Amino acid sequence: MEKELDGLGYLPLRIILSKLSPSDIIKVSCANKRLRGSASDDSLWAQICYQELQLSTPQDDHGNPLPCFMLAYQLWREAFSMYPWPLVKRVKRCWDKLKKWFNNNFLEAEATLRRGASESDIEQLQTLLKVKLPLPTRLLYRFHDGQELPDKMNPKTASSSWLGIIGGYSFYQNSVNVYLLPLHQVIAKTRYVIRYLGFSSRSKCIIVASSFASSRKLFFLNCTNGQLFVGTRKPLTDNEMIPCVPNTLIRSVHDLYGEEQQDAMLLWLEEHGRRLENGIIKVRKEGDDRSINLFPEVPPLCVTTVTNGVQVRASAVFVPEFSDVLDEAEKFMFAYSIRMSLLPEGCVINGMTFGSCQLNRRHWIIRADEEVVSSVDDEAVIGKFPLLHPGEGEFVYQSCSPLPSPSGSVEGHFTFVPGRLADPRGGPFKVQVARFPLEMPDYVF
């Protein structure tokens, strides 16, 4: 075999080597000087680094530049030698997808990602909290040790409270924006809830993500089974938490030699990246602040209707932190977002065009499963009578509704008048809002 390879020209040998695994290339390089030279060709290792790690320039796992791709691959393998290599590649793909989206859409949030944690940092957390992190979560923290958190005591950094990479929502006076916690905050917050809020240390749960807006929202990773949970309205002492990922997908969370190790943290972040990449959720600006908004933006979770030139978009999110699964009437809380605008052609009624129209009333039918549980017919929306003009930005408002079941819907209409309420240019007309779902999702964010 050695003589056959040694007798090949450069191009055929290069093609054969490119078909081999990195470990086989290393073995071939030990045969003789010529094969060692061919196996050291950096273009070959550039191809390997791109295929396995999506590296377009030679660098180590902290992003430091290196002189060649062969050294880069060697250092990556050494840095993660204690982990299954397929899992290392998968976790890197997860972070790469998220960071690519942040780089294109939300640079401010990308800037909050911390340098990866060391093995000693992870060991310290495990010792202090008496837990063993699932392998995928360990690797996620090796790439990025969570986010730099906002300083609530500093008014100059108030806007950074909206840079959580998981995102959030707002309705009435409640605001949520979820950050991925760095390890030192995982330790501090977990100790706090154990010491002061009566949470049991025997649960082997640690807090890995938290909201830094006005409403509290905590995510707990169970280090034994790898499931991620979110707290509800109940006190933590009741241990009433909701799983964030389907249990059937979690497997081999502590098995170094298992196949396709995946815990809830990895699945959760992968799903989050998919929703961002596919435009299901987007960055929305409110005032001077931008944030990832969890209200869906595309069908079927978001519906769009146009009546007489008035466009209404509507969607909802499950709100676990205000849900109480033991309360028969308010087991499941949902917030919904209504976005209304007047299209550039203006308000058109019976062939006549008007340069504005103003909302007067709203009518909602809210269902749990298929049973009507609430019917609303009242003036205004959140105390406002929005006046719409062609081509202006959307008027956005949020509200909420509890349901006794995890599945329901909202539909209805708004009553507008052409012109203004103080100076109507015609009779009132109805603007339909198509039925949109209130559904407890498989993945809870």
Side-chain angles (χ1 to χ4, degrees):
M1 180 67 173
E2 175 189 333
K3 290 182 179 179
E4 292 173 355
L5 288 175
D6 201 27
L8 292 173
Y10 169 79
L11 185 57
L13 182 57
R14 174 67 172 76
I15 293 172
I16 290 173
L17 289 174
S18 69
K19 304 295 183 183
L20 299 180
S21 68
S23 59
D24 286 337
I25 293 172
I26 299 294
K27 292 175 185 176
V28 168
S29 71
C30 298
N32 60 43
K33 186 175 181 180
R34 179 170 182 258
L35 291 176
R36 184 162 57 252
S38 297
S40 301
D41 184 344
D42 209 45
S43 66
L44 176 65
W45 290 98
Q47 177 182 324
I48 292 169
C49 283
Y50 185 78
Q51 289 174 342
E52 297 201 5
L53 297 166
Q54 292 75 54
L55 293 181
S56 54
T57 58
Q59 56 186 261
D60 66 13
D61 58 301
H62 294 298
N64 300 314
L66 296 170
C68 64
F69 283 100
M70 186 176 182
L71 177 61
Y73 189 81
Q74 176 188 339
L75 293 180
W76 273 84
R77 292 303 296 254
E78 290 175 358
F80 296 99
S81 59
M82 65 180 294
Y83 298 97
W85 187 241
L87 182 59
V88 174
K89 294 188 289 185
R90 180 176 173 182
V91 170
K92 185 178 186 300
R93 285 195 302 272
C94 175
W95 275 120
D96 284 348
K97 179 180 287 189
L98 286 167
K99 290 193 292 184
K100 180 181 179 181
W101 188 90
F102 292 140
N103 187 262
N104 292 332
N105 300 279
F106 201 16
L107 280 170
E108 311 96 289
E110 185 183 25
T112 68
L113 291 174
R114 292 166 55 92
R115 188 182 179 94
S118 66
E119 285 297 320
S120 62
D121 294 331
I122 294 171
E123 291 298 333
Q124 181 185 42
L125 177 143
Q126 293 187 143
T127 300
L128 292 174
L129 298 182
K130 298 178 182 178
V131 297
K132 182 180 180 182
L133 291 184
L135 285 175
T137 293
R138 284 183 70 123
L139 269 171
L140 286 165
Y141 273 99
R142 280 292 307 274
F143 280 90
H144 287 288
D145 183 12
Q147 292 182 260
E148 294 291 350
L149 302 181
D151 181 2
K152 286 191 171 183
M153 304 304 292
N154 185 355
K156 293 181 180 179
T157 62
S159 62
S160 65
S161 297
W162 300 100
L163 300 181
I165 63 170
I166 304 303
Y169 40 77
S170 61
F171 57 98
Y172 299 139
Q173 302 303 312
N174 306 297
S175 297
V176 163
N177 193 260
V178 175
Y179 282 68
L180 188 64
L181 297 181
L183 291 180
H184 71 274
Q185 277 291 316
V186 173
I187 295 169
K189 281 190 170 290
T190 302
R191 281 178 156 179
Y192 179 86
V193 299
I194 290 172
R195 182 175 302 171
Y196 296 108
L197 301 183
F199 192 70
S200 174
S201 60
R202 293 191 300 273
S203 69
K204 299 301 179 184
C205 287
I206 61 174
I207 300 175
V208 291
S210 172
S211 173
F212 280 80
S214 64
S215 297
R216 187 177 75 176
K217 187 174 187 178
L218 299 175
F219 290 86
F220 299 80
L221 177 68
N222 184 310
C223 293
T224 302
N225 61 27
Q227 179 59 280
L228 185 69
F229 294 90
V230 61
T232 65
R233 194 174 70 193
K234 282 286 189 181
L236 294 177
T237 48
D238 291 0
N239 285 330
E240 184 183 301
M241 298 188 291
I242 294 172
C244 298
V245 171
N247 281 313
T248 55
L249 299 180
I250 300 170
R251 56 179 175 265
S252 305
V253 297
H254 292 291
D255 187 358
L256 277 169
Y257 308 104
E259 292 292 326
E260 297 186 17
Q261 301 92 339
Q262 51 189 34
D263 66 357
M265 274 286 283
L266 177 56
L267 291 162
W268 194 60
L269 288 175
E270 286 177 333
E271 174 64 14
H272 187 52
R274 185 191 72 82
R275 294 181 183 204
L276 291 169
E277 189 176 54
N278 293 340
I280 297 172
I281 54 176
K282 298 179 179 179
V283 170
R284 187 185 295 178
K285 186 173 182 178
E286 293 188 27
D288 295 329
D289 299 322
R290 298 195 329 136
S291 65
I292 295 172
N293 195 287
L294 294 180
F295 287 108
E297 296 282 351
V298 298
L301 298 176
C302 179
V303 300
T304 302
T305 49
V306 178
T307 309
N308 298 125
V310 179
Q311 176 177 276
V312 179
R313 300 191 304 130
S315 61
V317 293
F318 174 56
V319 183
E321 68 274 17
F322 285 97
S323 298
D324 182 351
V325 296
L326 298 180
D327 187 318
E328 289 302 317
E330 298 188 358
K331 281 188 176 184
F332 305 95
M333 180 67 75
F334 295 89
Y336 54 89
S337 175
I338 308 297
R339 290 86 90 184
M340 60 183 73
S341 60
L342 188 56
L343 297 179
E345 57 266 29
C347 177
V348 182
I349 303 174
N350 297 326
M352 296 184 64
T353 301
F354 302 90
S356 66
C357 60
Q358 190 165 14
L359 182 144
N360 185 21
R361 301 186 66 84
R362 72 188 189 280
H363 176 69
W364 290 127
I365 297 174
I366 301 172
R367 292 180 172 88
D369 297 321
E370 288 301 318
E371 181 181 344
V372 175
V373 293
S374 179
S375 181
V376 179
D377 194 349
D378 207 347
E379 287 189 335
V381 290
I382 59 169
K384 297 181 179 180
F385 299 86
L387 177 65
L388 307 182
H389 292 93
E392 288 185 348
E394 292 179 315
F395 172 83
V396 181
Y397 84 93
Q398 281 81 229
S399 188
C400 64
S401 177
L403 289 185
S405 69
S407 178
S409 64
V410 179
E411 64 182 303
H413 64 262
F414 298 112
T415 301
F416 277 78
V417 297
R420 297 169 175 265
L421 290 175
D423 183 21
R425 299 303 177 92
F429 63 96
K430 293 180 180 179
V431 172
Q432 298 299 321
V433 182
R435 183 186 292 202
F436 59 95
L438 307 181
E439 296 281 349
M440 183 175 173
D442 290 335
Y443 286 82
V444 179
F445 291 93

